[in-house]
Amino acid sequence: MSNIRKNRPHIRNCALMLLSTMTLASVGAGALPAAAKTNSDQLDPDKKAAQVIAEMTQDERYALLHSIMPIAFGPEPLPEAVQGQPAMAGYVPPISRLGIPAITQTDASLGVTNPFQARKGDVATALPSGLALASSFNPELAYESGKMVGNEARAKGFNVLLGGGMNLARDPRNGRNFEYLGEDPLLAGTLGGNAVRGTQSEGVVSTVKHFAINDQETNRNTLNSVIDEAALRMSDLLAFEIGIEIGQPGSVMCAYNRVNGPWACGSDMLLNQVLKKDWGYKGWVMSDWGAVHDVDYAIMGLDQQAGAQLDKEIWFDGPLKTKVAKGEISQDRISDMSQRILRSLYAVGADRPLTRTDIDYDAHGKVALKTAEQGIVLLKNNGILPLAASARNILVVGGHADAGVMSGGGSSQVTPVGGPAAMIPVGGEGFLASFGKMLIMPSSPLAALKEQLPEANIQFDSGYFPNATAQAAKHADMVIIFATQWQIEALDAGSMALPQGQDDLIAAVAAANPNSVVVLETGNPVHMPWANDVGAIMEAWYPGQRGGEAIANVLTGKVNPSGRLPISFPVDESQLPRPEIPGLGGPSDAKFDVDYNIEGADVGYRWYAREGITPAYPFGYGLSYTSFTHDNFKVAAKGDGLNASFTVRNTGKIAGADVPQIYLADAAGTPMRRLAAFDRVELAPGEARTVTVPLEWRVIADWANDGWEVAPGTYRFVLATDALANGVSASVKLKAHHIAK
């Protein structure tokens, strides 16, 4: 990864004194191809956009400022401009005389979506969930997966991708956590930014979303996220800041919720002050679909009203023109809004003509498989994995393992290559009325196990009758229990318990045969009251369209597990900052505050460390079939930066990948845990490698006095296997520094 970091673009002048290069060289930017060049004449995208804007009529400028979802949602007919367009998330007609292409937007956090499967027969490569990707701790894989999705988007006729998500997992019951990248800002920003880079290398604009602190789905349209600026800057905003620096996304999507009062899409503080002024962001801010409440959002920094027919009015058409005519919004602001959109299209080459091309689904399927394999986290193993050759009679239980693997629902749902293995109606009203179907990806773990273990007698039991299943388990050499937890946006799980009595099923089977493995296909951490009674536990998340094969590969030892948790698994809800989800069960239009100042910047493992709480499994945790040691750990200033070096050795008998993690453990006398760097190191048996990584300066600093501030003193770092492990220590003395925003 050493070459990866050399290519990170600078975000400010290098004259920021000590620690500034840590901004530029945070872990995992990637020795990756540069983002796609500007359009064919190679003009600077800002200059090109300015030239085109000067030639546009007023109506043409306004036309860029709202997109329509070309799907009817009621008796009102669609605008003529979008009639006849294929189903997609959003559409802006072309301006042919100026060579401005249509803006064609698709949801695609986990692959190119087909809303309501309205494009008959259209499929796409379905990646594993965001939490699975985050578990890989692999920026190169994030780039590769983003590039794959960008390639498919362009091949299908889309030039704007509505992905990916960077909200931090403040609550392990959030129904949308599966789309995101965990609870740590460095990990989420690094992987999210590299996924954006991959997408835009294909000439497709990528977004980052949902800006900001959209960290629960319950009443997401009305709740008010309350948090001090310093805590917000050091947590959720830091994830976005790092991701934007690395990926340079063409667009940022603002969120549904309110933030300290104003709605996020109408927040002057978020959009104008932080994003555009402090961070110097040049792209455009698009709304989430149905998130615009007033035309004055244009003044507050919103540039495009997306999916505008889902709002009360198309604010950024007639009402916006009226405001400008009255002098209440300046003409310069309209030019700025439209120029931001055009410059982003030009910056990544999204203005190039879209040509429908064939897609290499076989090659892309390998990306999905690799992501699933690297994302599987082995949580417990008493020696029964990998599957022993002596296990001749294997009982596979539950989780639709005979058909495929679970996926998450909502706007990120992908129709996989081969089509769904099953669509299981959930029922419900509102959002569930449209999206309430569990889609099972067509990759059967049962079939994959039978293929890999042809000599074994492998039987399947649905688990529908737990007592009968327990009786069958007594006669097996080993039992593999698949447990699922379906999650969907707009809905939070009220509990961490596995649904539909699966905990009771696992307990009954484990009592009958302790030689049991539990494979979790979940969108979030779950309770494990049976953890002490089973022989092994594996978290596979939503593993995508080749997930069954990936699970079998890890169970049999064909692949050595290397995933690490990107989100802590608490013992139960009592360990959370908010044991009860605010607003859960109340009216869907209720307005209330969610107090994030309880934990502030100490999200997830930082909260557990601060409060002295021991979760079931901490952030960064994961087992392997081999073993590793870490030594020679040193931290030292080098030039304007701060680097750490150490040696990793594979002390086992098989090849494997280690994920060493460096945490700030003490900052000038203040104990804490903050991930400052990480790496992923693949080693042969007995192989050792010396690794050098830069430390992220914004993790070392605190936000104070309108900037990043480093207090003088001794800073102790820990090289560890997870966020709460002791590991080995190294210290360095730092001088006081204040780096203005």
Side-chain angles (χ1 to χ4, degrees), residues 135-197:
S135 296
S136 74
F137 279 66
N138 189 342
E140 293 98 329
L141 183 60
Y143 180 91
E144 189 177 354
S145 65
K147 183 178 178 66
M148 182 276 289
V149 177
N151 177 272
E152 292 196 6
R154 176 163 275 278
K156 292 176 181 292
F158 301 108
N159 56 13
V160 176
L161 197 70
L162 307 178
M166 289 193 194
N167 296 96
L168 295 188
R170 286 179 176 264
D171 193 307
R173 298 160 295 185
N174 181 354
R176 212 164 185 180
N177 278 342
F178 73 89
E179 293 184 45
Y180 301 144
L181 298 165
E183 66 191 25
D184 180 79
L186 178 61
L187 179 66
T190 300
L191 269 64
N194 277 294
V196 167
R197 279 168 49 86

Side-chain angles (χ1 to χ4, degrees), residues 5 9 53 80 99 125 133 150 217 224 231 262 274 302 343 385 399 417 433 486 537 572 597 648 672 701 717:
R5 302 181 184 92
I53 290 294
E80 184 177 349
T125 302
L133 174 62
E217 291 296 283
N224 180 33
V274 174
L302 183 66
R343 64 87 49 203
L385 293 179
V417 175
W486 185 65
I537 304 170
D572 56 37
N597 284 315
V648 186
M672 60 181 63
F717 297 88

Side-chain angles (χ1 to χ4, degrees), residues 105-107 161-164 167 176 206-212 240 251-256 264-265 271 275 281 284-289 291 302 306:
Q105 302 169 326
T106 177
D107 276 305
L161 197 70
L162 307 178
N167 296 96
R176 212 164 185 180
S206 184
T207 66
V208 291
K209 61 184 185 181
H210 303 87
F211 193 70
F240 279 96
S251 184
V252 171
M253 182 189 294
C254 50
Y256 286 120
C265 287
L271 306 185
L275 182 62
Y281 180 66
W284 90 87
V285 180
M286 71 168 68
S287 70
D288 206 340
W289 273 231
L302 183 66

Side-chain angles (χ1 to χ4, degrees), residues 214-502:
N214 181 186
D215 294 339
Q216 74 172 52
E217 291 296 283
T218 300
N219 291 74
R220 64 181 181 175
N221 294 289
T222 55
L223 69 84
N224 180 33
S225 298
V226 177
I227 187 169
D228 293 340
E229 180 183 357
L232 183 56
R233 294 266 192 174
M234 295 164 62
S235 55
D236 295 62
L237 289 187
L238 182 55
F240 279 96
E241 187 176 6
I242 292 171
I244 289 170
E245 288 167 8
I246 294 172
Q248 297 294 304
S251 184
V252 171
M253 182 189 294
C254 50
Y256 286 120
N257 54 286
R258 293 178 290 148
V259 180
N260 293 326
W263 267 280
C265 287
S267 171
D268 177 76
M269 181 267 187
L270 285 177
L271 306 185
N272 285 331
Q273 297 301 314
V274 174
L275 182 62
K276 294 180 178 179
K277 181 181 177 183
D278 295 350
W279 298 351
Y281 180 66
K282 293 185 176 182
W284 90 87
V285 180
M286 71 168 68
S287 70
D288 206 340
W289 273 231
V292 182
H293 305 276
D294 194 273
V295 65
D296 285 343
Y297 282 21
I299 302 172
M300 302 305 174
L302 183 66
D303 300 305
Q304 186 182 61
Q305 181 184 10
Q309 82 267 41
L310 300 185
D311 292 313
K312 182 180 178 181
E313 290 189 54
I314 302 182
W315 299 103
F316 281 17
D317 190 21
L320 184 58
K321 292 176 181 177
T322 299
K323 283 275 188 178
V324 173
K326 291 180 178 180
E328 296 173 2
I329 296 177
S330 72
Q331 179 57 52
D332 287 345
R333 175 64 184 128
I334 302 302
S335 296
D336 175 61
M337 294 162 74
S338 51
Q339 178 164 333
R340 285 175 174 273
I341 295 169
L342 289 183
R343 64 87 49 203
S344 289
L345 296 178
Y346 300 147
V348 305
D351 60 318
R352 301 197 314 264
L354 289 166
T355 303
R356 302 296 179 104
T357 58
D358 292 335
I359 295 172
D360 190 344
Y361 284 121
D362 289 339
H364 292 178
K366 293 177 182 177
V367 177
L369 175 62
K370 182 179 178 181
T371 305
E373 290 172 342
Q374 293 192 13
I376 290 174
V377 184
L378 183 61
L379 297 176
K380 178 181 179 180
N381 185 18
N382 67 3
I384 64 173
L385 293 179
L387 295 177
S390 59
R392 294 296 184 183
N393 294 301
I394 300 174
L395 180 66
V396 175
V397 174
H400 309 287
D402 57 331
V405 292
M406 183 63 69
S407 65
S411 61
S412 67
Q413 180 73 74
V414 179
T415 303
V417 175
M423 293 286 286
I424 304 171
V426 176
E429 299 178 350
F431 193 86
L432 285 174
S434 299
F435 289 98
K437 297 181 179 66
M438 296 183 191
L439 188 152
I440 305 299
M441 293 288 171
S443 181
S444 165
L446 176 67
L449 284 167
K450 286 184 174 182
E451 181 177 349
Q452 292 197 31
L453 301 171
E455 302 301 320
N457 174 31
I458 304 177
Q459 300 295 320
F460 177 73
D461 187 305
S462 70
Y464 189 80
F465 299 106
N467 290 337
T469 303
Q471 291 299 316
K474 291 180 179 180
H475 303 286
D477 298 324
M478 172 175 285
V479 184
I480 304 173
I481 311 164
F482 287 82
T484 62
Q485 174 210 50
W486 185 65
Q487 298 279 338
I488 185 171
E489 72 168 283
L491 186 69
D492 292 325
S495 165
M496 288 174 55
L498 287 168
Q500 299 178 313
Q502 292 178 90

Side-chain angles (χ1 to χ4, degrees), residues 628-630 646-650 658 660 681 683 687-689 691:
F628 301 94
T629 60
H630 303 151
F646 51 89
T647 301
V648 186
R649 185 181 301 275
N650 182 346
D658 188 27
V681 186
L683 298 170
E687 182 183 2
R689 187 176 307 162
V691 177

